Amino acid sequence: MSEKTAVRTREKWVDDVKVIACILVVLGHFFQSMTLANILPDNDLYRWFITTIYYFHVPLFFICSGYLYQKYSKVNSVGDWCKNVKKKALALGVPYATFTVATWTLKKIFSGNVNREIGGFSETLFLHPTSPYWYLYALFFIFLVTPTFNSVKAATVGLIVALVAKVLILTGGGVQRLRYIDGSLKRNLVCARYGHLCV
């Protein structure tokens, strides 16, 4: 399907789900900030709300991205894969690099006034993405290693491989780097419990 066709057949439900997820992200960060500033109380209702939304609001973004990627992308050859990497590097890499550089610079300039200090520039840009931009970083690598499937059989094999990789990561049998990537995807759950570490 061409990009023009993809734009013409935009699916409203995906936009609706993304709007809901965005509202939940904003509410989560708002309530965390207000609680950290002691403007709102840190009570059971607050903890329940934060924990509940952090279980699913970011996965909603991943589901929408994966659905659209699978529907409108065809990566069945090395040439297609290279085109996809270039396209995703521009679409995700440019905003990621721009905002990471800006955040890194501001955190270095105002290091005495931030909740969480930042590491070295190369480390922050390539290995340990800063808090707000880990999603773009993770999404790029997911697109980098995820093929599109042209049959149910191929999709089933892909799902089995993904589940085996997840089991290896959870049981400690996986590669250390895979565990790091998996850990950054779970970061939102940590922020739900220990918000002061993520601001």
Side-chain angles (χ1 to χ4, degrees):
M1 183 178 285
S2 70
E3 288 184 31
K4 289 181 182 177
T5 307
V7 170
R8 270 188 268 126
T9 59
R10 188 174 185 109
E11 297 188 37
K12 186 178 182 316
W13 74 267
V14 174
D15 292 333
D16 294 342
V17 169
K18 288 192 287 187
V19 166
I20 291 167
C22 284
I23 290 169
L24 292 173
V25 168
V26 170
L27 285 174
H29 286 287
F30 171 77
F31 286 122
Q32 282 180 341
S33 298
M34 294 294 105
T35 303
L36 285 172
N38 293 322
I39 296 171
L40 293 175
D42 182 358
N43 57 25
D44 289 338
L45 179 61
Y46 161 77
R47 285 190 290 281
W48 172 85
F49 175 76
I50 293 297
T51 302
T52 302
I53 65 169
Y54 270 82
Y55 274 117
F56 69 88
H57 74 319
V58 172
L60 283 177
F61 284 116
F62 280 112
I63 289 167
C64 291
S65 297
Y67 172 79
L68 294 173
Y69 174 71
Q70 192 69 26
K71 185 164 183 170
Y72 296 116
S73 299
K74 295 296 171 219
V75 184
N76 298 317
S77 68
V78 174
D80 289 342
W81 183 80
C82 291
K83 286 180 191 173
N84 185 56
V85 169
K86 288 178 188 173
K87 183 176 150 187
K88 296 301 178 187
L90 283 174
L92 299 171
V94 170
Y96 171 75
T98 302
F99 288 108
T100 297
V101 168
T103 301
W104 185 86
T105 304
L106 290 171
K107 282 195 169 197
K108 282 297 181 182
I109 291 171
F110 301 106
S111 61
N113 298 325
V114 296
N115 291 331
R116 198 169 148 215
E117 290 189 20
I118 200 159
F121 180 72
S122 296
E123 176 189 357
T124 301
L125 190 60
F126 298 112
L127 296 176
H128 303 289
T130 188
S131 297
Y133 315 116
W134 70 267
Y135 176 80
L136 297 174
Y137 179 88
L139 194 59
F140 175 74
F141 285 105
I142 289 171
F143 286 145
L144 193 66
V145 299
T146 305
T148 58
F149 302 109
N150 51 9
S151 72
V152 173
K153 185 178 177 182
T156 303
V157 171
L159 179 62
I160 291 168
V161 169
L163 290 173
V164 168
K166 184 65 176 180
V167 167
L168 287 173
I169 291 167
L170 290 174
T171 60
V175 180
Q176 188 66 23
R177 181 69 183 141
L178 286 176
R179 196 176 307 182
Y180 170 73
I181 292 170
D182 185 61
S184 65
L185 293 177
K186 291 180 187 164
R187 183 181 185 288
N188 58 327
L189 294 177
V190 173
C191 291
R193 285 224 186 263
Y194 308 103
H196 64 281
L197 296 176
C198 304
V199 177

PDB file of all heavy atoms in Angstrom, residues 58-90:
ATOM      1  N   VAL A  58       1.391   3.276  28.107  1.00  0.00           N
ATOM      2  CA  VAL A  58       2.478   3.180  27.136  1.00  0.00           C
ATOM      3  C   VAL A  58       2.308   1.952  26.244  1.00  0.00           C
ATOM      4  O   VAL A  58       2.523   2.045  25.030  1.00  0.00           O
ATOM      5  CB  VAL A  58       3.860   3.220  27.835  1.00  0.00           C
ATOM      6  CG1 VAL A  58       4.974   2.919  26.851  1.00  0.00           C
ATOM      7  CG2 VAL A  58       4.077   4.599  28.463  1.00  0.00           C
ATOM      8  N   PRO A  59       1.899   0.788  26.785  1.00  0.00           N
ATOM      9  CA  PRO A  59       1.611  -0.324  25.868  1.00  0.00           C
ATOM     10  C   PRO A  59       0.572   0.026  24.795  1.00  0.00           C
ATOM     11  O   PRO A  59       0.632  -0.506  23.691  1.00  0.00           O
ATOM     12  CB  PRO A  59       1.111  -1.427  26.801  1.00  0.00           C
ATOM     13  CG  PRO A  59       1.845  -1.178  28.075  1.00  0.00           C
ATOM     14  CD  PRO A  59       1.895   0.324  28.190  1.00  0.00           C
ATOM     15  N   LEU A  60      -0.370   0.922  25.091  1.00  0.00           N
ATOM     16  CA  LEU A  60      -1.319   1.340  24.060  1.00  0.00           C
ATOM     17  C   LEU A  60      -0.597   1.985  22.880  1.00  0.00           C
ATOM     18  O   LEU A  60      -0.928   1.735  21.718  1.00  0.00           O
ATOM     19  CB  LEU A  60      -2.337   2.337  24.628  1.00  0.00           C
ATOM     20  CG  LEU A  60      -3.456   1.788  25.488  1.00  0.00           C
ATOM     21  CD1 LEU A  60      -4.320   2.919  26.029  1.00  0.00           C
ATOM     22  CD2 LEU A  60      -4.297   0.789  24.736  1.00  0.00           C
ATOM     23  N   PHE A  61       0.418   2.815  23.164  1.00  0.00           N
ATOM     24  CA  PHE A  61       1.196   3.431  22.089  1.00  0.00           C
ATOM     25  C   PHE A  61       1.922   2.368  21.273  1.00  0.00           C
ATOM     26  O   PHE A  61       1.978   2.429  20.044  1.00  0.00           O
ATOM     27  CB  PHE A  61       2.223   4.423  22.645  1.00  0.00           C
ATOM     28  CG  PHE A  61       1.631   5.722  23.090  1.00  0.00           C
ATOM     29  CD1 PHE A  61       1.686   6.101  24.421  1.00  0.00           C
ATOM     30  CD2 PHE A  61       1.038   6.592  22.189  1.00  0.00           C
ATOM     31  CE1 PHE A  61       1.151   7.302  24.847  1.00  0.00           C
ATOM     32  CE2 PHE A  61       0.506   7.795  22.608  1.00  0.00           C
ATOM     33  CZ  PHE A  61       0.561   8.150  23.941  1.00  0.00           C
ATOM     34  N   PHE A  62       2.513   1.391  21.950  1.00  0.00           N
ATOM     35  CA  PHE A  62       3.224   0.326  21.239  1.00  0.00           C
ATOM     36  C   PHE A  62       2.259  -0.494  20.381  1.00  0.00           C
ATOM     37  O   PHE A  62       2.599  -0.874  19.257  1.00  0.00           O
ATOM     38  CB  PHE A  62       3.974  -0.582  22.219  1.00  0.00           C
ATOM     39  CG  PHE A  62       5.273  -0.012  22.685  1.00  0.00           C
ATOM     40  CD1 PHE A  62       5.436   0.376  24.001  1.00  0.00           C
ATOM     41  CD2 PHE A  62       6.342   0.142  21.811  1.00  0.00           C
ATOM     42  CE1 PHE A  62       6.641   0.914  24.437  1.00  0.00           C
ATOM     43  CE2 PHE A  62       7.550   0.670  22.237  1.00  0.00           C
ATOM     44  CZ  PHE A  62       7.699   1.049  23.549  1.00  0.00           C
ATOM     45  N   ILE A  63       1.074  -0.771  20.889  1.00  0.00           N
ATOM     46  CA  ILE A  63       0.092  -1.535  20.119  1.00  0.00           C
ATOM     47  C   ILE A  63      -0.307  -0.765  18.860  1.00  0.00           C
ATOM     48  O   ILE A  63      -0.346  -1.323  17.758  1.00  0.00           O
ATOM     49  CB  ILE A  63      -1.147  -1.858  20.984  1.00  0.00           C
ATOM     50  CG1 ILE A  63      -0.775  -2.913  22.033  1.00  0.00           C
ATOM     51  CG2 ILE A  63      -2.311  -2.329  20.127  1.00  0.00           C
ATOM     52  CD1 ILE A  63      -1.809  -3.082  23.129  1.00  0.00           C
ATOM     53  N   CYS A  64      -0.588   0.521  18.999  1.00  0.00           N
ATOM     54  CA  CYS A  64      -0.962   1.333  17.833  1.00  0.00           C
ATOM     55  C   CYS A  64       0.184   1.403  16.827  1.00  0.00           C
ATOM     56  O   CYS A  64      -0.030   1.243  15.622  1.00  0.00           O
ATOM     57  CB  CYS A  64      -1.355   2.745  18.268  1.00  0.00           C
ATOM     58  SG  CYS A  64      -2.889   2.822  19.186  1.00  0.00           S
ATOM     59  N   SER A  65       1.394   1.620  17.312  1.00  0.00           N
ATOM     60  CA  SER A  65       2.550   1.703  16.416  1.00  0.00           C
ATOM     61  C   SER A  65       2.771   0.380  15.694  1.00  0.00           C
ATOM     62  O   SER A  65       3.027   0.352  14.487  1.00  0.00           O
ATOM     63  CB  SER A  65       3.808   2.076  17.201  1.00  0.00           C
ATOM     64  OG  SER A  65       3.679   3.349  17.769  1.00  0.00           O
ATOM     65  N   GLY A  66       2.672  -0.725  16.425  1.00  0.00           N
ATOM     66  CA  GLY A  66       2.857  -2.034  15.812  1.00  0.00           C
ATOM     67  C   GLY A  66       1.770  -2.353  14.796  1.00  0.00           C
ATOM     68  O   GLY A  66       2.048  -2.888  13.717  1.00  0.00           O
ATOM     69  N   TYR A  67       0.537  -2.009  15.113  1.00  0.00           N
ATOM     70  CA  TYR A  67      -0.570  -2.255  14.199  1.00  0.00           C
ATOM     71  C   TYR A  67      -0.363  -1.492  12.896  1.00  0.00           C
ATOM     72  O   TYR A  67      -0.485  -2.052  11.802  1.00  0.00           O
ATOM     73  CB  TYR A  67      -1.895  -1.842  14.860  1.00  0.00           C
ATOM     74  CG  TYR A  67      -3.065  -1.887  13.905  1.00  0.00           C
ATOM     75  CD1 TYR A  67      -3.674  -3.106  13.600  1.00  0.00           C
ATOM     76  CD2 TYR A  67      -3.551  -0.726  13.319  1.00  0.00           C
ATOM     77  CE1 TYR A  67      -4.741  -3.149  12.714  1.00  0.00           C
ATOM     78  CE2 TYR A  67      -4.620  -0.768  12.441  1.00  0.00           C
ATOM     79  CZ  TYR A  67      -5.208  -1.972  12.140  1.00  0.00           C
ATOM     80  OH  TYR A  67      -6.263  -2.004  11.261  1.00  0.00           O
ATOM     81  N   LEU A  68      -0.051  -0.197  12.999  1.00  0.00           N
ATOM     82  CA  LEU A  68       0.139   0.617  11.799  1.00  0.00           C
ATOM     83  C   LEU A  68       1.371   0.170  11.018  1.00  0.00           C
ATOM     84  O   LEU A  68       1.360   0.138   9.783  1.00  0.00           O
ATOM     85  CB  LEU A  68       0.247   2.093  12.180  1.00  0.00           C
ATOM     86  CG  LEU A  68      -1.031   2.702  12.760  1.00  0.00           C
ATOM     87  CD1 LEU A  68      -0.771   4.110  13.263  1.00  0.00           C
ATOM     88  CD2 LEU A  68      -2.157   2.681  11.743  1.00  0.00           C
ATOM     89  N   TYR A  69       2.429  -0.195  11.725  1.00  0.00           N
ATOM     90  CA  TYR A  69       3.652  -0.667  11.078  1.00  0.00           C
ATOM     91  C   TYR A  69       3.359  -1.934  10.281  1.00  0.00           C
ATOM     92  O   TYR A  69       3.751  -2.069   9.129  1.00  0.00           O
ATOM     93  CB  TYR A  69       4.720  -0.915  12.136  1.00  0.00           C
ATOM     94  CG  TYR A  69       5.995  -1.535  11.620  1.00  0.00           C
ATOM     95  CD1 TYR A  69       6.861  -0.801  10.824  1.00  0.00           C
ATOM     96  CD2 TYR A  69       6.336  -2.842  11.940  1.00  0.00           C
ATOM     97  CE1 TYR A  69       8.036  -1.351  10.360  1.00  0.00           C
ATOM     98  CE2 TYR A  69       7.512  -3.406  11.489  1.00  0.00           C
ATOM     99  CZ  TYR A  69       8.365  -2.660  10.693  1.00  0.00           C
ATOM    100  OH  TYR A  69       9.525  -3.211  10.232  1.00  0.00           O
ATOM    101  N   GLN A  70       2.664  -2.866  10.897  1.00  0.00           N
ATOM    102  CA  GLN A  70       2.369  -4.139  10.242  1.00  0.00           C
ATOM    103  C   GLN A  70       1.425  -3.931   9.054  1.00  0.00           C
ATOM    104  O   GLN A  70       1.542  -4.599   8.041  1.00  0.00           O
ATOM    105  CB  GLN A  70       1.748  -5.109  11.255  1.00  0.00           C
ATOM    106  CG  GLN A  70       1.674  -6.524  10.778  1.00  0.00           C
ATOM    107  CD  GLN A  70       3.036  -7.180  10.648  1.00  0.00           C
ATOM    108  OE1 GLN A  70       3.980  -6.807  11.320  1.00  0.00           O
ATOM    109  NE2 GLN A  70       3.129  -8.147   9.770  1.00  0.00           N
ATOM    110  N   LYS A  71       0.505  -2.989   9.169  1.00  0.00           N
ATOM    111  CA  LYS A  71      -0.490  -2.787   8.127  1.00  0.00           C
ATOM    112  C   LYS A  71       0.069  -2.040   6.914  1.00  0.00           C
ATOM    113  O   LYS A  71      -0.268  -2.356   5.777  1.00  0.00           O
ATOM    114  CB  LYS A  71      -1.682  -2.014   8.698  1.00  0.00           C
ATOM    115  CG  LYS A  71      -2.804  -1.875   7.709  1.00  0.00           C
ATOM    116  CD  LYS A  71      -4.084  -1.484   8.354  1.00  0.00           C
ATOM    117  CE  LYS A  71      -5.153  -1.450   7.287  1.00  0.00           C
ATOM    118  NZ  LYS A  71      -6.467  -1.316   7.831  1.00  0.00           N
ATOM    119  N   TYR A  72       0.927  -1.048   7.161  1.00  0.00           N
ATOM    120  CA  TYR A  72       1.348  -0.172   6.070  1.00  0.00           C
ATOM    121  C   TYR A  72       2.806  -0.335   5.657  1.00  0.00           C
ATOM    122  O   TYR A  72       3.251   0.338   4.739  1.00  0.00           O
ATOM    123  CB  TYR A  72       1.084   1.295   6.448  1.00  0.00           C
ATOM    124  CG  TYR A  72      -0.382   1.579   6.633  1.00  0.00           C
ATOM    125  CD1 TYR A  72      -0.886   1.961   7.865  1.00  0.00           C
ATOM    126  CD2 TYR A  72      -1.276   1.441   5.579  1.00  0.00           C
ATOM    127  CE1 TYR A  72      -2.238   2.218   8.034  1.00  0.00           C
ATOM    128  CE2 TYR A  72      -2.626   1.686   5.738  1.00  0.00           C
ATOM    129  CZ  TYR A  72      -3.099   2.080   6.976  1.00  0.00           C
ATOM    130  OH  TYR A  72      -4.430   2.323   7.130  1.00  0.00           O
ATOM    131  N   SER A  73       3.566  -1.189   6.310  1.00  0.00           N
ATOM    132  CA  SER A  73       4.966  -1.391   5.945  1.00  0.00           C
ATOM    133  C   SER A  73       5.136  -2.793   5.373  1.00  0.00           C
ATOM    134  O   SER A  73       4.510  -3.735   5.828  1.00  0.00           O
ATOM    135  CB  SER A  73       5.870  -1.239   7.162  1.00  0.00           C
ATOM    136  OG  SER A  73       5.761   0.051   7.702  1.00  0.00           O
ATOM    137  N   LYS A  74       5.998  -2.897   4.394  1.00  0.00           N
ATOM    138  CA  LYS A  74       6.362  -4.199   3.854  1.00  0.00           C
ATOM    139  C   LYS A  74       7.880  -4.310   3.901  1.00  0.00           C
ATOM    140  O   LYS A  74       8.588  -3.597   3.200  1.00  0.00           O
ATOM    141  CB  LYS A  74       5.870  -4.370   2.410  1.00  0.00           C
ATOM    142  CG  LYS A  74       4.366  -4.386   2.308  1.00  0.00           C
ATOM    143  CD  LYS A  74       3.766  -5.576   3.037  1.00  0.00           C
ATOM    144  CE  LYS A  74       2.262  -5.486   3.119  1.00  0.00           C
ATOM    145  NZ  LYS A  74       1.718  -5.938   4.364  1.00  0.00           N
ATOM    146  N   VAL A  75       8.367  -5.172   4.763  1.00  0.00           N
ATOM    147  CA  VAL A  75       9.802  -5.376   4.929  1.00  0.00           C
ATOM    148  C   VAL A  75      10.073  -6.858   4.712  1.00  0.00           C
ATOM    149  O   VAL A  75      10.152  -7.629   5.653  1.00  0.00           O
ATOM    150  CB  VAL A  75      10.286  -4.915   6.326  1.00  0.00           C
ATOM    151  CG1 VAL A  75      11.790  -5.037   6.437  1.00  0.00           C
ATOM    152  CG2 VAL A  75       9.852  -3.486   6.601  1.00  0.00           C
ATOM    153  N   ASN A  76      10.176  -7.237   3.442  1.00  0.00           N
ATOM    154  CA  ASN A  76      10.361  -8.642   3.096  1.00  0.00           C
ATOM    155  C   ASN A  76      11.687  -8.911   2.393  1.00  0.00           C
ATOM    156  O   ASN A  76      11.921 -10.014   1.924  1.00  0.00           O
ATOM    157  CB  ASN A  76       9.202  -9.126   2.220  1.00  0.00           C
ATOM    158  CG  ASN A  76       7.874  -9.041   2.952  1.00  0.00           C
ATOM    159  OD1 ASN A  76       7.780  -9.402   4.120  1.00  0.00           O
ATOM    160  ND2 ASN A  76       6.853  -8.544   2.273  1.00  0.00           N
ATOM    161  N   SER A  77      12.525  -7.890   2.283  1.00  0.00           N
ATOM    162  CA  SER A  77      13.832  -8.069   1.646  1.00  0.00           C
ATOM    163  C   SER A  77      14.827  -7.141   2.326  1.00  0.00           C
ATOM    164  O   SER A  77      14.453  -6.233   3.076  1.00  0.00           O
ATOM    165  CB  SER A  77      13.750  -7.753   0.149  1.00  0.00           C
ATOM    166  OG  SER A  77      13.521  -6.364  -0.039  1.00  0.00           O
ATOM    167  N   VAL A  78      16.101  -7.365   2.042  1.00  0.00           N
ATOM    168  CA  VAL A  78      17.147  -6.518   2.637  1.00  0.00           C
ATOM    169  C   VAL A  78      16.999  -5.078   2.157  1.00  0.00           C
ATOM    170  O   VAL A  78      17.167  -4.127   2.930  1.00  0.00           O
ATOM    171  CB  VAL A  78      18.556  -7.073   2.294  1.00  0.00           C
ATOM    172  CG1 VAL A  78      19.643  -6.130   2.777  1.00  0.00           C
ATOM    173  CG2 VAL A  78      18.737  -8.459   2.891  1.00  0.00           C
ATOM    174  N   GLY A  79      16.647  -4.900   0.893  1.00  0.00           N
ATOM    175  CA  GLY A  79      16.442  -3.545   0.360  1.00  0.00           C
ATOM    176  C   GLY A  79      15.303  -2.821   1.064  1.00  0.00           C
ATOM    177  O   GLY A  79      15.424  -1.648   1.421  1.00  0.00           O
ATOM    178  N   ASP A  80      14.190  -3.548   1.264  1.00  0.00           N
ATOM    179  CA  ASP A  80      13.058  -2.965   1.998  1.00  0.00           C
ATOM    180  C   ASP A  80      13.456  -2.619   3.427  1.00  0.00           C
ATOM    181  O   ASP A  80      13.047  -1.596   3.969  1.00  0.00           O
ATOM    182  CB  ASP A  80      11.879  -3.940   2.045  1.00  0.00           C
ATOM    183  CG  ASP A  80      11.193  -4.102   0.702  1.00  0.00           C
ATOM    184  OD1 ASP A  80      11.385  -3.249  -0.176  1.00  0.00           O
ATOM    185  OD2 ASP A  80      10.460  -5.098   0.548  1.00  0.00           O
ATOM    186  N   TRP A  81      14.242  -3.506   4.054  1.00  0.00           N
ATOM    187  CA  TRP A  81      14.687  -3.278   5.421  1.00  0.00           C
ATOM    188  C   TRP A  81      15.534  -2.011   5.503  1.00  0.00           C
ATOM    189  O   TRP A  81      15.345  -1.194   6.406  1.00  0.00           O
ATOM    190  CB  TRP A  81      15.471  -4.488   5.939  1.00  0.00           C
ATOM    191  CG  TRP A  81      15.893  -4.349   7.359  1.00  0.00           C
ATOM    192  CD1 TRP A  81      15.142  -4.561   8.476  1.00  0.00           C
ATOM    193  CD2 TRP A  81      17.192  -3.952   7.826  1.00  0.00           C
ATOM    194  NE1 TRP A  81      15.873  -4.320   9.606  1.00  0.00           N
ATOM    195  CE2 TRP A  81      17.137  -3.943   9.244  1.00  0.00           C
ATOM    196  CE3 TRP A  81      18.380  -3.598   7.196  1.00  0.00           C
ATOM    197  CZ2 TRP A  81      18.225  -3.600  10.020  1.00  0.00           C
ATOM    198  CZ3 TRP A  81      19.477  -3.253   7.978  1.00  0.00           C
ATOM    199  CH2 TRP A  81      19.389  -3.260   9.376  1.00  0.00           C
ATOM    200  N   CYS A  82      16.467  -1.841   4.541  1.00  0.00           N
ATOM    201  CA  CYS A  82      17.321  -0.637   4.534  1.00  0.00           C
ATOM    202  C   CYS A  82      16.491   0.629   4.363  1.00  0.00           C
ATOM    203  O   CYS A  82      16.721   1.628   5.044  1.00  0.00           O
ATOM    204  CB  CYS A  82      18.374  -0.740   3.427  1.00  0.00           C
ATOM    205  SG  CYS A  82      19.629  -1.993   3.742  1.00  0.00           S
ATOM    206  N   LYS A  83      15.495   0.588   3.459  1.00  0.00           N
ATOM    207  CA  LYS A  83      14.605   1.747   3.281  1.00  0.00           C
ATOM    208  C   LYS A  83      13.837   2.035   4.562  1.00  0.00           C
ATOM    209  O   LYS A  83      13.661   3.193   4.949  1.00  0.00           O
ATOM    210  CB  LYS A  83      13.621   1.479   2.140  1.00  0.00           C
ATOM    211  CG  LYS A  83      14.210   1.551   0.771  1.00  0.00           C
ATOM    212  CD  LYS A  83      13.139   1.258  -0.270  1.00  0.00           C
ATOM    213  CE  LYS A  83      13.770   1.063  -1.633  1.00  0.00           C
ATOM    214  NZ  LYS A  83      12.794   0.607  -2.622  1.00  0.00           N
ATOM    215  N   ASN A  84      13.373   0.980   5.218  1.00  0.00           N
ATOM    216  CA  ASN A  84      12.628   1.148   6.461  1.00  0.00           C
ATOM    217  C   ASN A  84      13.495   1.759   7.554  1.00  0.00           C
ATOM    218  O   ASN A  84      13.049   2.635   8.294  1.00  0.00           O
ATOM    219  CB  ASN A  84      12.069  -0.205   6.916  1.00  0.00           C
ATOM    220  CG  ASN A  84      11.182  -0.065   8.126  1.00  0.00           C
ATOM    221  OD1 ASN A  84      10.216   0.688   8.113  1.00  0.00           O
ATOM    222  ND2 ASN A  84      11.508  -0.784   9.177  1.00  0.00           N
ATOM    223  N   VAL A  85      14.748   1.298   7.662  1.00  0.00           N
ATOM    224  CA  VAL A  85      15.658   1.842   8.678  1.00  0.00           C
ATOM    225  C   VAL A  85      15.890   3.331   8.437  1.00  0.00           C
ATOM    226  O   VAL A  85      15.845   4.139   9.370  1.00  0.00           O
ATOM    227  CB  VAL A  85      16.989   1.067   8.695  1.00  0.00           C
ATOM    228  CG1 VAL A  85      18.023   1.776   9.549  1.00  0.00           C
ATOM    229  CG2 VAL A  85      16.773  -0.354   9.199  1.00  0.00           C
ATOM    230  N   LYS A  86      16.107   3.722   7.181  1.00  0.00           N
ATOM    231  CA  LYS A  86      16.310   5.146   6.857  1.00  0.00           C
ATOM    232  C   LYS A  86      15.074   5.968   7.220  1.00  0.00           C
ATOM    233  O   LYS A  86      15.169   7.039   7.812  1.00  0.00           O
ATOM    234  CB  LYS A  86      16.632   5.315   5.373  1.00  0.00           C
ATOM    235  CG  LYS A  86      18.001   4.853   4.982  1.00  0.00           C
ATOM    236  CD  LYS A  86      18.203   5.014   3.492  1.00  0.00           C
ATOM    237  CE  LYS A  86      19.500   4.361   3.053  1.00  0.00           C
ATOM    238  NZ  LYS A  86      19.656   4.352   1.593  1.00  0.00           N
ATOM    239  N   LYS A  87      13.907   5.424   6.844  1.00  0.00           N
ATOM    240  CA  LYS A  87      12.656   6.134   7.125  1.00  0.00           C
ATOM    241  C   LYS A  87      12.431   6.298   8.631  1.00  0.00           C
ATOM    242  O   LYS A  87      12.093   7.383   9.110  1.00  0.00           O
ATOM    243  CB  LYS A  87      11.507   5.340   6.492  1.00  0.00           C
ATOM    244  CG  LYS A  87      10.146   5.946   6.625  1.00  0.00           C
ATOM    245  CD  LYS A  87       9.143   5.096   5.855  1.00  0.00           C
ATOM    246  CE  LYS A  87       7.791   5.169   6.504  1.00  0.00           C
ATOM    247  NZ  LYS A  87       6.835   4.250   5.914  1.00  0.00           N
ATOM    248  N   LYS A  88      12.654   5.211   9.385  1.00  0.00           N
ATOM    249  CA  LYS A  88      12.452   5.277  10.835  1.00  0.00           C
ATOM    250  C   LYS A  88      13.526   6.128  11.513  1.00  0.00           C
ATOM    251  O   LYS A  88      13.262   6.781  12.523  1.00  0.00           O
ATOM    252  CB  LYS A  88      12.422   3.874  11.448  1.00  0.00           C
ATOM    253  CG  LYS A  88      11.262   3.027  10.972  1.00  0.00           C
ATOM    254  CD  LYS A  88       9.928   3.672  11.292  1.00  0.00           C
ATOM    255  CE  LYS A  88       8.774   2.846  10.776  1.00  0.00           C
ATOM    256  NZ  LYS A  88       7.492   3.522  10.926  1.00  0.00           N
ATOM    257  N   ALA A  89      14.753   6.102  10.977  1.00  0.00           N
ATOM    258  CA  ALA A  89      15.821   6.937  11.549  1.00  0.00           C
ATOM    259  C   ALA A  89      15.463   8.415  11.437  1.00  0.00           C
ATOM    260  O   ALA A  89      15.724   9.195  12.362  1.00  0.00           O
ATOM    261  CB  ALA A  89      17.149   6.647  10.857  1.00  0.00           C
ATOM    262  N   LEU A  90      14.845   8.795  10.337  1.00  0.00           N
ATOM    263  CA  LEU A  90      14.413  10.190  10.191  1.00  0.00           C
ATOM    264  C   LEU A  90      13.196  10.487  11.066  1.00  0.00           C
ATOM    265  O   LEU A  90      13.172  11.474  11.795  1.00  0.00           O
ATOM    266  CB  LEU A  90      14.076  10.491   8.723  1.00  0.00           C
ATOM    267  CG  LEU A  90      15.259  10.690   7.800  1.00  0.00           C
ATOM    268  CD1 LEU A  90      14.784  10.827   6.356  1.00  0.00           C
ATOM    269  CD2 LEU A  90      16.062  11.916   8.199  1.00  0.00           C
TER     270      LEU A  90
END
